[in-house]
Amino acid sequence: MTKNAKLSLDGKEFEIPTIVGSEQEKALDIARLRADTGYITMDPGYVNTGSTMSAITYLDGEKGILRYRGIPIEQLAEKSTFVETSYLLIYGNLPNKTQLQNFSNLLTNHSMIHEDMKNFFDGYPATAHPMAILSSMVCSLSAYYPESLKVNESFEMQIPRLLSKLRTIAAFSYKKSIGHPIMYPQNHLSYCANFLQMMFSVPAEPYEVDEDMVRALNILLILHADHEQNCSTSTVRLVGSSLANLFASISAGICALWGPLHGGANQAVIEMLEEIHTTGTKCSDFIEKVKDKDSSTRLMGFGHRVYKSYDPRAKILKEMTDVILSKRGISDPLLDLAMEMEETALSDPYFVERNLYPNVDFYSGILYKAMGIPVNMFTVMFAIGRLPGWIAHWKEMVDDPQSKIGRPRQIYTGENIRDYIPLDDRV
Ligand code: ACO
């Protein structure tokens, strides 16, 4: 049974209803707060603010739990594929055989992009960051599918279209950056194998799919597929709340993901490890620097807004990284360095007291590197993985008749009213 909280303010008592979720998470329902009391709440970084009710992902940062539609991430990483997990996130349940086949067929049939869009790639300088290309190209898809602008009428068809094309755009942007001819998708290949083929094959020789790489990619994408109301997902919801089309909303999410405090962290981790390695800095010295607030240096890949214990995704990736490196016979000094860094940090009171543990990005970069994915493509890989989560949240919002346009308030701290002074009279 839900109970009300009591608020005593300006000599009056107010009742604040409470909400309890299916995992007993509790919230104060302040929807009527301003209307009843004249007050708003102030919560920088939205640390205590719930923006929506959602049935997609359950996350308990204290206990290190992550479940998509109720299914633990560990089970999905072990048994599912990225395509199946995407279906689960977007449509709410695991697909039966026919549903999975139909969904797979849709992804296969929509993998090509309009030939005119290939000209866009030529317009970018070779040095362009692939995230810049990815976000612009995704937004541009709305120009090629004008029916997407009527959000409520047509979005179901845009879902497989976008899931399939994002992978093609990502691979094309990589090929462009290294001056290789673009490789088209091949319908006989699975989602992940097709991506690897578009990234790494060349017209001059046959390409053999490496099943270990396909499995590793499936796991990486599954682990990144959703993480409830993070910065990029909240951005997708906020942009979509104005009924902007799916492509525009996802393009905004890609931009939000780009920053080094979010999806850009996997690139930042490798750059940090490379710098430590090439300068011969000792792990312990680097940790001391990180602890010094004046240095404004952070241990990238450590800490998380919601995980205050070991990120369950980092645990799976650490094991997967070991497997792939040993199977491929790669010995990477950066992995040794990462392990040493983790051990040093986790035995240091600074990290222990602040509950700072490795997050998903601490190992994903090393794994991507072992798979031959270049560093500036890491955040693009994150975007491909996160896409079904973004779509699921966007769809959940659009399907909900109670949805409102997102519009936070503020407390104004500027000047009080004052007169305009003509330019000649100003000192
Ligand atoms: N290295 C050193 N100190 C850290 C780190 C870190 N990586 N992360 C947090 N801290 C310290 C802060 O300095 C602060 O210390 P203080 O209490 O003495 O001031 C304390 O821990 C709390 O940090 P906040 O910044 O308040 O924590 P918040 O929840 O706002 O930030 C964040 C989370 C942004 C992820 C942060 O931990 C960070 O910057 N990590 C490095 C970047 C990173 O790996 N990002 C990827 C996140 S995962 C993802 O997006 C998929």
Side-chain angles (χ1 to χ4, degrees):
M1 206 182 70
T2 52
K3 50 192 175 197
N4 287 353
K6 285 200 185 345
L7 176 68
S8 176
L9 203 59
D10 298 336
K12 287 191 198 141
E13 292 265 308
F14 300 93
E15 296 266 324
I16 312 260
T18 57
I19 299 173
V20 181
S22 54
E23 289 288 344
Q24 308 309 309
E25 291 172 297
K26 299 191 253 321
L28 299 174
D29 177 356
I30 57 159
R32 288 209 44 83
L33 185 70
R34 186 171 178 275
D36 290 350
T37 69
Y39 283 75
I40 62 166
T41 54
M42 185 55 72
D43 187 18
Y46 308 129
V47 180
N48 304 286
T49 297
S51 59
T52 186
M53 311 264 256
S54 176
I56 300 170
T57 287
Y58 175 62
L59 168 53
D60 182 332
E62 276 76 30
K63 296 192 185 129
I65 293 174
L66 177 60
R67 297 179 200 144
Y68 299 159
R69 301 284 187 182
I71 305 179
I73 189 71
E74 293 81 1
Q75 290 183 26
L76 291 167
E78 189 191 335
K79 298 176 183 158
S80 186
T81 61
F82 178 60
V83 169
E84 187 185 58
T85 298
S86 299
Y87 187 101
L88 169 73
L89 281 166
I90 296 168
Y91 301 109
N93 287 301
L94 286 169
N96 62 28
K97 278 186 189 158
T98 315
Q99 288 167 327
L100 184 58
Q101 192 55 57
N102 290 345
F103 188 54
S104 249
N105 291 347
L106 277 174
L107 297 185
T108 302
N109 294 337
H110 289 283
S111 59
M112 305 237 277
I113 56 170
H114 195 291
E115 277 294 293
D116 289 352
M117 280 190 88
K118 276 192 355 195
N119 299 328
F120 291 4
F121 289 95
D122 296 331
Y124 287 100
T127 50
H129 196 289
M131 284 297 273
I133 302 180
L134 197 72
S135 58
S136 331
M137 289 292 217
V138 168
C139 200
S140 303
L141 284 174
S142 49
Y144 289 86
Y145 301 99
E147 67 275 22
S148 68
L149 305 189
K150 293 184 187 144
V151 169
N152 288 309
E153 287 171 32
S154 83
F155 74 80
E156 291 294 349
M157 198 47 238
Q158 314 310 336
I159 290 173
R161 201 168 254 160
L162 179 55
L163 268 172
S164 192
K165 290 186 198 317
L166 191 79
R167 162 192 64 161
T168 310
I169 294 169
F172 281 16
S173 68
Y174 170 61
K175 285 296 197 190
K176 159 77 189 159
S177 75
I178 56 168
H180 275 190
I182 275 167
M183 297 301 291
Y184 284 95
Q186 303 265 334
N187 281 1
H188 68 281
L189 293 174
S190 69
Y191 187 95
C192 287
N194 218 342
F195 175 72
L196 293 171
Q197 180 273 133
M198 285 190 276
M199 284 283 290
F200 299 120
S201 69
V202 287
E205 56 189 22
Y207 177 76
E208 241 179 71
V209 174
D210 179 332
E211 288 307 326
D212 286 338
M213 296 263 284
V214 172
R215 188 69 209 131
L217 185 56
N218 267 291
I219 290 176
L220 275 158
L221 298 183
I222 289 170
L223 294 183
H224 285 87
D226 194 39
H227 216 231
E228 48 117 304
Q229 312 308 320
N230 54 83
C231 174
S232 56
T233 304
S234 301
T235 301
V236 169
R237 276 191 180 256
L238 193 58
V239 174
S241 75
S242 73
L243 291 188
N245 67 78
L246 178 68
F247 302 124
S249 308
I250 299 292
S251 168
I254 293 171
C255 292
L257 185 75
W258 195 353
L261 295 188
H262 190 12
N266 51 16
Q267 176 169 344
V269 169
I270 288 291
E271 285 165 357
M272 172 191 78
L273 291 173
E274 269 167 356
E275 197 194 320
I276 295 171
H277 181 61
T278 45
T279 55
T281 308
K282 284 209 303 214
C283 261
S284 49
D285 290 346
F286 189 77
I287 293 287
E288 286 311 312
K289 188 169 161 198
V290 159
K291 285 156 56 181
D292 176 4
K293 296 284 175 209
D294 293 335
S295 76
S296 66
T297 305
R298 288 202 161 187
L299 179 54
M300 299 311 287
F302 258 70
H304 198 277
R305 171 57 62 79
V306 289
Y307 287 120
K308 300 303 169 196
S309 71
Y310 212 102
D311 181 340
R313 303 166 301 170
K315 211 176 281 176
I316 299 168
L317 277 189
K318 188 178 178 183
E319 284 164 22
M320 190 70 210
T321 306
D322 282 345
V323 171
I324 288 291
L325 288 183
S326 64
K327 271 202 175 165
R328 293 176 72 82
I330 301 171
S331 127
D332 189 338
L334 296 194
L335 179 67
D336 299 337
L337 190 56
M339 302 260 205
E340 192 188 339
M341 195 65 86
E342 180 184 334
E343 209 181 306
T344 315
L346 293 183
S347 56
D348 189 304
Y350 174 95
F351 290 86
V352 177
E353 282 157 17
R354 289 170 179 75
N355 293 317
L356 299 170
Y357 292 88
N359 59 48
V360 68
D361 287 324
F362 195 66
Y363 284 103
S364 67
I366 295 168
L367 189 46
Y368 281 134
K369 193 165 168 276
M371 293 168 71
I373 310 265
V375 173
N376 69 355
M377 283 290 287
F378 288 1
T379 317
V380 170
M381 302 305 297
F382 194 155
I384 297 174
R386 184 54 54 89
L387 182 61
W390 289 333
I391 293 175
H393 283 273
W394 188 90
K395 178 171 158 34
E396 183 174 60
M397 185 185 61
V398 170
D399 281 341
D400 179 0
Q402 308 293 328
S403 279
K404 284 177 188 275
I405 186 168
R407 204 310 188 177
R409 288 194 174 260
Q410 64 165 18
I411 293 293
Y412 174 68
T413 58
E415 299 282 351
N416 293 116
I417 188 165
R418 50 183 178 154
D419 286 328
Y420 176 83
I421 303 168
L423 185 56
D424 289 344
D425 298 345
R426 285 176 221 160
V427 280

